[in-house]
Amino acid sequence: MTNSWVDIRNANIVLSMGGNSAEAHPVGFRWVMQAKERSDAILISIDPRYNRTTAVADYHAWIRTGTDIAFLGGLISYLIESDRYNREYVEAYTDAAHLVREGFEFHDGLFTGYDEARHQYDKATWNFDLDEQGFARRDETLQHPRCVFQLMRRHYSRYSVEMVERICGMPQAKVLQLWDLLAQSAAPDKTMTILYALGWTQHSVGAQMIRTGAMVQLLLGNMGMPGGGVNALRGHSNIQGLTDIGLLSNLLTGYMTLPAAGAQDYRGYIQEKVRQPLLPNQVSYWKYYERFFVSTMKAFYGDAATVENDWCYHWLPKLSEPLYDVLYAVNDMTKGTMTGAICQGFNILAAFPNKAKVLDGLSKLRYLVIMDPLANETGEFWKNHGEFNDVDPSQIQTTVFRLPTSCFAEDDGSITNSSRWLQWHHRAVPPPGEAKTDNAILAGLFQRLQKLYQEEGGAFPEPILNLTWEYSDPAHPAAAELAQEYNGRALADIEDQGRIIRRKGELLNDFGDLRADGSTSCGCWIYSGAWTEQGNMMDRRDNSDPYDIGVTLGWAWAWPLNRRILYNRASARPDGTPWDPNRALIWWSGERWVGADVPDYPIAAAPEEDIKPFILSESGTGHFFASEWLGEGPFPEHYEPLESPIPNNPLHPQNPLAYHNPVARVFAEDRDTFGTFEEFPYAATTYRLTEHFHYWTTHVLLNAIVQPEKFVEIGEVLAGELGIAAGEKVRVRSKRGHIDAVAVVTKRLRPLQVDGRTVHQVGIPIHWGFTGVAKKAHLTNTLTPFVGDGNTQTPEFKSFLVNVEKL
Amino acid sequence: MRGDQINLQNIIARSATNEPSPQIRSGGVEQVTKLIDVSVCIGCKACQVACMEWNDLRDEVGECDGTYNAPQDLTPSSFEVMRFSEYENEEGDLEWLIRKDNCMHCAEPGCLKACPSPGAIVQYANGIVDFNSEHCIGCGYCVAGCPFDIPRISKKDNKAYKCTLCSDRVYHGLEPACVKSCPTGSIQFGTKEQMLDYGAHRVGKLKERGFDNAGIYDPAGVGGTHVVYVLQHADKPEIYSGLPKDPHISPTVELWKGVTKPLMSAVLGVSVLAGFFHYMTKGPKEEPEDDPDPDQAAAEREQDRHDEERRP
Amino acid sequence: MSHSNVRKGILRYGPWARANHWLVAICFVLLSLSGLALFYPAFFGLTALFGGPEPTRIVHPYIGVFMSLFFVIQAVRFFRANLFRRHDIQWARQIGDVLSNRDERLPPVGQNNAGQKLVYWIFLATVPVLLVTGVVLWRPWVASEMPIWALRWAALIHAVTAFVAILTLIIHVYSAIWVKGSIRAMTQGRVSPAWARHHHPLWYEEVMRGEKRGDESALPHSEPDSAATQRNRP
Amino acid sequence: MSVRVSRRQFLKFGAAGLGASSMAMMGFAPDQALASVRHFKLSGAKVSRNICTYCSVGCGMLLYARGDGAINSHDHIFHVEGDPDHPVSRGSLCPRGAGVLDFIRSDSRVRYPQVREPGTDEWKRISWDDALERIVRMMKDDRDRNFETHDEEGHLVNRWMTTAMVAASACTNETAYLTQKITRALGILKLDNQARV
């Protein structure tokens, strides 16, 4: 989230799209209801289903799954053409005025540089037109044909209301009504917040859907505003934290990236990562990349990391692919090129698409280690659970270890919520039986490995032998010790303008203290400040909100630097006065920035200095033009889901290459696992229910009671055609398999008119499996397609094709 | 602190008790009320789970009946359930009306009126109507008495159960479990006065948003309730999964537990008295003297012999 | 009183009739007690007789069913003796004389007078109603399957009917106490001829004429003339 | 009046003396009424603050445990409710959070290390030492056999591609950090988390 849960109450318009906030985050949703209550905000729900959010929405529309870019692209065009955007904001705070390099074009659904064989783009031309000093050229009038604003305008001019109706299946009148409502937040004293979740993420064009939302917010001047922002509600309790700490194939901590195989030289790697400003006197905070990197390597390898050995740069594994995500790993497993896997609290059999393929992959492993509090499906993939998991154990040669872990109630530590708050929690009781904390298990494994490498030697033992391990109980690193390690320490006295600001051994105050010379150690730079000399900032409990704007700086700690609303400089006009006096967040006092939040900005930089608010980006501006950051192109374009209920992309009916996302990742092995709409006529989407959490709560009696059995949602019209009555059993098939479930026949799903055809949508909750206390069921992911988004490789759980038959 | 309210002095009504309970100290006691704002409810069932968790109830793991209702109805182990109904309004727009169904804690409780076991059902001065399972005899009269079809008789122990409005929490100055858990603030708790004020405010807001018939559901037929609803369509409560439009204690029950009780008892008493006094005034019908006539006597003896012979 | 020359008196109720009557009577009393206990708070204490409130609730319907069975037998047994005759109407008209003990003015009646017959018919009417409504209300067996409106009506009807029945019972019992010699009839079975002649002249004469045995009407299926044939042996 | 009459009636039916006892029955002591309020189950419980383990709203939780931490006392959680001080949740919980007690105490909680041997159909209980020794041996054998120091183009890559690790979305940042350290030290690149699902 760019903003925070409580901040939602400051919005005038709440757009719930690509998510079902009431269903998935009921307590966070309280602040939507507060917005309605306090400031008479309107809630708009746009979803394939009339869902729990819609139940309390003021306006709603059915939309075909996977077509959000069309709706939002049309909105962008509508806002520009009807001149209903925040012009002052766009000029001052965005890249609208930047000129784009000659040669960049968009033609019949593809941007310049597409390589059909590799399904990749050569992004050379996707960049700004730079002047001699390497600064981007701008046309402040926004009139230049090559300026981002005009390119964007041209790009989305194709998204007419007629086109949106054809693609989304939303009647024009409804589209125009919603656009008009959304456009109201262009006024400086009106803000709109966008609440989205996996309903945008889990598409082959997921990342671009989210970008389109962000572009709308930039146009309307809602980024950085209280009650504004683009808010990823996020799924799991600490998924924000795991991502911050970089538990992804290509990441180090704090969103630093691991080197690619090509980056054979440390300097080159740093050069590439260090981002110099694209406009004069901008912050471009990534220019300090080396400070973050070196401090992290010092945290990892301590004294072994020296300037001479490039801080152990070459000890880091290097990538030959953009990502080695789970889909990639599973695909390798099925090819038999993998030996083992460690699943730490991750039920991949249930959670990943095409269960049959995941099952096949796991069956080809030599060993599988499960660390989990619960006896989940993945741990028992080898066990025959009748029709729900029909395998022959004698044919599966995988050795499976199941290690019992503690759960949240039995462990200390911090987790990061989607508002980026690091909140500390306290162990209440010991874990059951012989269960241990994850830390103890990881330590147990690592120390034994280390011992073996000391005794026997082995492949490249240096990193293992030199990994820092300064924990008072080496067998059980304490949460407090680890927190202090990622917060960072001074390894020598740190000076700033000649005076010592940190003594050797002291905890760092924030990442401003970091040095690139090895005199600081910091495990995760963005978390620097979480545990300082003042103590554990994550355990603070002051919930006071002195400015009554929903900012509680004394509660826990938020990264970066305890800022609660990112880009909050943009909540004030260029001259430093708030856009909306009733929504003042920070403002220029005359000598510094003051207000309710910690300024996300150089504290003493006067407005005249024209330092732009988005200090992480190279030009300090919000970006309509994504340059080479995303795979599909600088401007989001609508592409059909890999399994689409219509025969072509109405925007480019003639170009088969532009039917689906041209850079979506599909493994050769899976090409024939995709169905067509002739065979599987109905558009399906999967989702969570409020009564359940993924596959955990099927083990929780209380939740099993209030939502006991697997069901699928079918519209009354379709049910009528198929002769299905509510409560009857149905079988849902996709090209990859079938599930059986009870039919919930509802008015809340309606057939949509899409490009001249009637499209029925089927809703399939993901919950219920073959373990636990709820009714046993097939795993929903038996049905879903094995395809990755063009940037994040997120599976397309939200749009695929199925057929439905009555049992 | 509300805890002071619940003692014998503050039980203002007990089932099957003619004598009034001590009332004198109920004067200053707050009338507590739970308000359920249906227009804010997302049907997440947090209240349902919190209720089971707090009250140490675990219902059966049932089945999906083709709706979101689970469990489908109140049970001895489900003091409340959410009832979902898909309603198409006059404009043809779809509304998903979700109602939390539980005991309404009537000011004039039909269950209490019908209950034959003294103290099995009590009404506190704060308005809570509570079942005391210790005294419940499992006759099920409360089921017949309740205008809202709330009480359920357990097959395990043949006792009646229903929502207590968490009288144990309220006793200790806490809000009911469902109220505390409610994520969206659809369930509120306070004095009846506060809740009616808040309800009126909410109704105003709803009218601003075009719900002209929004209103508070606090049915007078049962003397008002200590659980009140805010409805978008207060003119049609029945569309909320059959919320009764004008609930009141059934006339049959009124008759049965009303006038008939004392009347019949009195008549029975009077009839006995009448007998007694008749006996005193008119005296008995004495055994008549035997007839001295010898033939007659002989005939009788003969008759007796006959009888004797015939006796097996 | 002395019956020096009457060793036994006239047999009015045979042993089976008496046993049957008292079975029904005891059940009825228990039902009244337990019923009243659950009906009106003031009577709740009666539940102590049955081992507490819940046992009372449990035992009441079983006694009810038990009683109903024997009541059927009794009803059949006493059926003929309780058919209304012309003279009964006259007797009923003079109820004032009956209550004032001016028996000499009363028209002669048969084995049962109008009052006794009325009692018979009232019980015949109320018991089945009580049985049916009682079953509807029976927990845990039946009531849980019944619609609430049925429970409500059953409860009301059961109460009112029981009231009528108990009232009748009170009159019945009082009459027995009031008319000396009656209790003996139902306890020992026999009445003095004088009693018979005084209270039930027609019946007395029938018996004297040997046309029938005194307790005949208390024997089911007894042929009208069986007594006569039996007496015609040497 | 009806009470008195009714008693006469009992006498008629020979239930003499019942009256007195029945009056006793009808009288009731205050405790009967008080009993209708359930015992307050939180009295004396040990409270710990926590953050909900399910979604990313991060609601505050109060965990109520029996036992005072004495050496002989095996504390266990018997109730969970929302933390009213928490600025986001303000005491409320969703149905998952409200039911988390049954997660903590779920019958599905694994209680001791187990192994499933190749081709078999059952779990076998083993000791922690056996489990960890065996796992580490398999890991090291695989790493030593398949560690890549250079890729096809001869680039120095130092990676271990044949064992994957997926990390827990519910574990703490501290555990996550330890996981990051260890996996990278081992050269694991196939590392992922639930960010996508």
Side-chain angles (χ1 to χ4, degrees), chain A residues 7 56 81 85 92 117 134 175 201 290 297 339 366 433 445 460 495 538 545 572 664 669 692 713 744 753 807:
Chain A
D7 176 69
V56 291
E81 301 308 331
Y85 60 97
V175 174
T201 316
E290 189 169 14
M297 296 308 273
T339 311
R366 190 154 159 271
L445 287 171
F460 196 56
E495 298 193 354
M538 303 174 278
D545 175 14
E669 297 81 354
H692 279 295
E713 296 192 83
V744 166
Q753 291 308 313
L807 283 181

Side-chain angles (χ1 to χ4, degrees), chain A residues 112-132:
Chain A
T112 314
Y114 185 61
D115 175 342
E116 192 178 337
R118 290 179 44 255
H119 296 278
Q120 290 298 333
Y121 277 102
D122 166 8
K123 304 172 179 171
T125 63
W126 302 1
N127 225 321
F128 298 114
D129 185 8
L130 305 181
D131 63 17
E132 302 66 35

Side-chain angles (χ1 to χ4, degrees), chain A residues 261-262 264 319-320, chain D residues 148-157 159:
Chain A
Q264 286 296 299
L319 305 114
S320 299
Chain D
E148 291 176 47
T149 58
H150 295 78
D151 66 5
E152 308 73 44
E153 291 93 58
H155 295 131
L156 181 63
V157 289
R159 61 194 184 198

Side-chain angles (χ1 to χ4, degrees), chain A residues 394-416:
Chain A
S394 65
Q395 298 310 304
I396 298 172
Q397 296 308 311
T398 317
T399 307
V400 184
F401 297 90
R402 186 154 77 179
L403 308 180
T405 66
S406 57
C407 77
F408 77 110
E410 300 141 3
D411 194 9
D412 299 309
S414 70
I415 59 176
T416 308

Side-chain angles (χ1 to χ4, degrees), chain A residues 22-23 26-27 29-30 33 36-37 40-42 49-52 55-56 58 62 687 689-691 701-709 711 713 716 726-727 742-748 750 773-775, chain B residues 38-45 48-49 52-53 57-68 70-71 78 84 86-88 92-96 98 180-185 198 201-202 205 208-209:
Chain A
E23 185 102 33
V27 178
F29 190 74
R30 137 199 316 275
M33 301 316 285
K36 292 179 72 167
E37 179 65 25
D40 290 315
I42 56 168
R49 298 178 305 132
Y50 185 117
N51 57 37
R52 275 179 161 114
V56 291
D58 301 282
W62 281 277
Y687 45 90
L689 295 168
T690 199
E691 297 93 336
L701 183 55
L702 279 165
N703 298 93
I705 290 165
V706 294
Q707 203 56 277
E709 187 174 18
F711 65 81
E713 296 192 83
E716 275 183 355
V742 175
V744 166
V745 176
T746 174
K747 294 181 168 64
R748 295 176 293 103
R750 293 205 177 158
V773 291
K775 286 235 179 321
Chain B
V38 176
S39 69
V40 175
C41 177
I42 55 174
C44 72
K45 300 186 190 169
Q48 219 174 311
V49 173
M52 283 191 282
E53 204 265 27
L57 305 167
R58 296 295 186 274
D59 211 327
E60 302 296 310
V61 174
E63 289 176 345
C64 173
D65 70 341
T67 71
Y68 274 44
S78 286
F84 296 77
E86 297 174 352
Y87 167 69
E88 265 162 342
D93 295 334
L94 182 60
E95 292 182 43
W96 203 9
I98 307 164
K180 183 172 184 183
S181 71
C182 181
T184 60
Y198 177 75
H201 158 77
R202 285 293 308 151
K205 290 269 188 182
E208 286 169 23
R209 285 175 194 258

Side-chain angles (χ1 to χ4, degrees), chain A residues 19 36 56 62 105 127 145 148 166 181 193 230 249 276 288 306 347 354 368 373 394 502 546 569-570 657 764 774:
Chain A
K36 292 179 72 167
V56 291
W62 281 277
E105 292 300 338
N127 225 321
V148 168
R166 281 175 57 197
L181 288 165
T193 180
V230 179
S249 57
Q276 293 306 337
Y288 300 122
T306 63
N347 190 356
N354 195 353
L368 173 68
S394 65
R502 294 281 164 271
R569 162 65 178 92
L657 292 179
I764 309 171

